[in-house]
């Protein structure tokens, strides 16, 4: 019996170049999964994968990301967004942009696509799908990538959204509930290091003034993430899940980077992808 296959990319700002390495290797090896679940920057990696654009996300992380229009204090002062989501997902990615998404290939691909965001008003999880993407409209990636406090919430159809990583950061149960029985999970933190709450306490206090429900999700994100990784490890034991994670963070974090660190993280993802074909066929 053929397996129903899925892949999850949890994102993680500049660390998410790990997933870009994984997917470029998959494109080289002609590995297609039935469904992709993207969180935050992970959703952007997956658009290039679904459209078959090898090397596209690598260029975004290693070249465009060093421009002040892409992510900078300057951008934060001008746009209230540290990462300029419109620049990344519209200016660069639209048909007339510097490196457009091959939208026709994306649309024609049989691979399904789910993008996770957090409803800023009530803290609920929103699962967008491929039908929410259209020509020159990659708003769902902007919503999923709007890091609380570093970015304003991104509004779609009158509803403000924040980063999917505070709502359902590792949607492994969602993938299994949707009927997939071989799920590749791409983490961008060390597999066995628990997430801590301390970095979220300050931002959650600021967020509480405008979006208390989202602030609550942010405050508890560490627990949600740790629980979901633990669940993925349980499913890994019975062969339904394969977890790929870097062995070092190479000095990267969500909003800081170095060219060398990015290259090393990309190569780590590329190497990790070697385990995928055997897993999907097991």
């Amino acid at each position: 019996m053929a397996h129903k296959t899925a892949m999850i990319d949890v994102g993680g700002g500049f660390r998410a170049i790990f997933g870009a390495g994984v997917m470029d290797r998959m494109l080289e090896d002609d590995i297609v999964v039935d469904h992709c679940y993207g969180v935050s920057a992970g959703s952007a990696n997956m658009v290039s994968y679904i459209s078959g654009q090898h090397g596209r996300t690598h260029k975004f992380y290693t070249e465009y990301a060093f421009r002040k229009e892409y992510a900078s204090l300057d951008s934060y002062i001008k746009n209230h967004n540290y990462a300029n989501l419109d620049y990344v997902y519209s200016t660069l990615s639209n048909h007339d942009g510097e490196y457009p998404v091959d939208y026709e290939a994306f649309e024609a691909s049989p691979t399904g696509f789910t993008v996770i965001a957090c409803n800023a008003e009530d803290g609920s999880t929103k699962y967008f799908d491929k039908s929410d993407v259209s020509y020159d409209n990659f708003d769902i990636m902007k919503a999923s990538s709007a890091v609380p406090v570093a970015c304003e919430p991104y509004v779609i159809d009158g509803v403000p959204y924040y980063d999917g990583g505070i709502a359902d950061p590792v949607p492994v149960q969602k993938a299994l509930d949707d009927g997939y029985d071989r799920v590749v999970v791409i983490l961008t933190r060390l597999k066995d290091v628990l997430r801590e709450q301390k970095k979220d306490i300050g931002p959650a206090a600021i967020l509480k003034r405008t979006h208390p429900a989202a602030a609550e999700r942010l405050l508890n994100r560490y627990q949600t993430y740790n629980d979901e990784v633990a669940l993925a490890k349980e499913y890994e034991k019975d062969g339904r899940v394969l977890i790929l994670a870097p062995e070092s963070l190479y000095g990267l974090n969500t909003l800081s980077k170095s060219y060398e660190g990015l290259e090393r993280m990309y190569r780590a993802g590329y190497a990790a992808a070697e385990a995928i074909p055997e897993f999907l066929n097991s």
Side-chain angles (χ1 to χ4, degrees), residues 85 117 173 222 226 250 256:
L85 303 171
Q173 192 61 54
Y222 77 104
N226 292 341
Y250 307 106
S256 71

Side-chain angles (χ1 to χ4, degrees), residues 36-54:
C36 285
Y37 293 84
V39 182
S40 196
S43 64
N45 290 345
M46 288 175 147
V47 170
S48 297
Y49 166 72
I50 293 170
S51 63
Q53 289 174 278
H54 183 281

